[in-house]
Amino acid sequence: MAQDEDLTACPVRWADDGLLLIDQTRLPGELRRVLIDDVDALVEAIRSLAVRGAPALGVAGAFGVAVALRQGAREGWDRAATLAAVERIRHARPTAVNLRRGTDRAAARLEEGVAAVLEEAEAVRREDVAANRRLSELGADWLLARAGHDRPLRLLTHCNAGALATAGWGTALGVVRELHRRGRVELVYVDETRPLLQGARLTAWELAQEGIAHVVQVDGAAASTILYQGVDAAVVGADRIAANGDTANKIGTLGVALACAHAGIPFLVAAPTTTVDPDTPDGAAIPIELRAPHEVTGPDADERSPGFNPAFDVTPGSLVSALVTERGVAEVSRGELPGKLWGTPA
Ligand SMILES: CSC[C@H]1O[C@H](OP(=O)(O)O)[C@H](O)[C@@H]1O
């Protein structure tokens, strides 16, 4: 099992000669950092989930613009070729709005050169860590206020919305870290999250690093765990939140939300406002990434029984007890829209 000095530190950052990222496909067995100085390598790292998680993709996309500029200077690209390379990064995965946002924010400074792009990308990274820390405090406050007791909480989470999925600290796991810091976590049920096992491989690794009590369960156990194991709340991340509060997150999240509604416990979505997309009106407008069938069935499966592999599902806002961001909390299931976070009336 790999050990990391401080996983709440940033898994995606700029080194001297390129983008330095943890290759998450090798965790938890091996902590391997790779230096990316080529656009094709970055696109492949995004598509293979070597770098993954909405906020982390935003940071990778932003630094990716510097990768494109530097590669263009080495290979004599003209402006059109550089912009085309940036577009390939921007579209490497469709669902997490952060990838497009982070790339666009850095690309807006392309004409100023590499130093300006790096300055903007570093701001994207720094702002995400600050946002995660703040939303974690607000999320812990909200959950403890709702709990109605002072004993530690039993929580459930799905996929990995931890430090690995962000610029550091995490969103859903950031809330868990903050609750743990306050002595208010009894146990975390970690959905393994098929088919790529972000829960069993990444969330479990993060929680184990910090001594936060947890168990790993199959995704199919989530509903019965929520109904019969005394879970106080489910806390998940997000990849894109629509203007009406519908939320795209890892496939299987909708089932968790439905079980929480049936059990009458909070279903909390923790995300920075960079994941909220006012230009996406509702969940039907969120593009859902369809990944390779073999990730589900394995490479040697009978081709007459192909896999169906949507990477995300959409939870309607009516099931979202609270959307927690660094700007505050919107109780979407009670009619508060994400626009409230920007002062727009519900
Ligand atoms: C903090 S965003 C994490 C979010 O991203 C994950 O998707 P993927 O592993 O495919 O990048 C999952 O939906 C997490 O909730």
Side-chain angles (χ1 to χ4, degrees), residues 247-282:
T247 296
N249 197 51
K250 183 54 54 194
I251 190 74
T253 302
L254 174 56
V256 169
L258 288 166
C260 287
H262 187 80
I265 65 169
F267 175 78
L268 189 145
V269 173
T273 50
T274 48
T275 304
V276 180
D277 184 14
D279 297 332
T280 297
D282 56 32

Side-chain angles (χ1 to χ4, degrees), residues 49 51-57 93 96 158-162 165-166 170-172 196 198 202 236-239 248-251 253 270 272 275 289 291 311-312:
L49 278 72
V51 57
R52 46 147 300 277
L57 291 176
R93 291 182 76 195
H158 190 78
C159 198
N160 172 261
T166 67
T171 56
L196 299 180
Q198 289 93 322
L202 306 177
V236 300
D239 291 82
N249 197 51
K250 183 54 54 194
I251 190 74
T253 302
T275 304
E289 178 185 7
R291 292 186 61 85
F312 303 100

Side-chain angles (χ1 to χ4, degrees), residues 1 5 33 43-44 88 124 147 149 169 182 187 204 208 230 242 254 259 266 305 329:
M1 188 69 72
E5 67 283 358
R33 285 186 167 85
V43 170
E44 176 53 27
R88 285 178 25 240
V124 171
H149 56 71
W169 189 252
R182 301 183 193 183
L187 181 67
L254 174 56
S305 305
V329 180

Side-chain angles (χ1 to χ4, degrees), residues 27-46:
L27 286 174
E30 180 190 6
L31 178 61
R32 173 184 291 190
R33 285 186 167 85
V34 292
L35 190 73
I36 301 275
D37 64 352
D38 168 279
V39 171
D40 286 342
L42 176 55
V43 170
E44 176 53 27
I46 292 170

Side-chain angles (χ1 to χ4, degrees), residues 123-142:
V124 171
R125 185 198 68 77
R126 192 176 56 248
E127 289 166 16
D128 184 63
V129 180
N132 297 338
R133 292 273 184 170
R134 180 63 183 142
L135 71 85
S136 298
E137 292 167 356
L138 294 174
D141 292 345
W142 187 88

